[in-house]
Amino acid sequence: MAVVNITNDNFENEVLKSDKPVLVDFWATWCGPCRMQGPIVEELAEENADIKVGKCDTDQNGELAEKFGIMSIPTLMAFKNGELVGKAVGVTPKEKLLAMLQG
């Protein structure tokens, strides 16, 4: 499944109302570690049809970044049934991200 672009406008429908667990990668284009995390997130999306993976550009969606208290990027958050169930800050291995979504 392709990575979904998460915005202030579609967050509720794409994440909170999703029938699948959702991983959201809060990132920015200028962030070096975010560029390292990107391929891991893309791989996760391609290999796991049972989850939804989204990326949220914090520069373009400051409202969401503020709502979730994003202080450092990349920050990755896992949601299930509209609830936040896991959070990781910094470059995070695929296995840990999967564990957050399945745990």
Side-chain angles (χ1 to χ4, degrees):
M1 187 174 180
V3 174
V4 178
N5 183 35
I6 302 295
T7 66
N8 294 324
D9 296 331
N10 73 4
F11 183 82
E12 185 175 344
N13 282 334
E14 292 290 351
V15 179
L16 300 182
K17 293 182 178 177
S18 176
D19 56 349
K20 297 179 179 182
V22 184
L23 178 73
V24 181
D25 176 11
F26 290 89
W27 70 291
T29 54
W30 49 264
C31 166
C34 297
R35 287 195 295 272
M36 291 168 52
Q37 185 72 59
I40 298 168
V41 170
E42 300 275 343
E43 210 173 274
L44 195 66
E46 288 172 21
E47 294 173 357
N48 298 277
D50 56 334
I51 61 171
K52 183 184 287 189
V53 179
K55 292 178 69 88
C56 179
D57 186 327
T58 56
D59 287 340
Q60 295 177 7
N61 300 284
E63 192 179 301
L64 279 175
E66 191 175 313
K67 177 180 179 178
F68 288 104
I70 306 295
M71 301 301 273
S72 300
I73 51 175
T75 292
L76 297 109
M77 293 186 166
F79 293 85
K80 275 188 181 176
N81 301 316
E83 299 290 322
L84 178 64
V85 296
K87 178 178 175 180
V89 179
V91 178
T92 306
K94 186 169 53 171
E95 295 73 23
K96 182 173 179 184
L97 296 175
L98 270 174
M100 284 192 328
L101 289 161
Q102 295 167 345

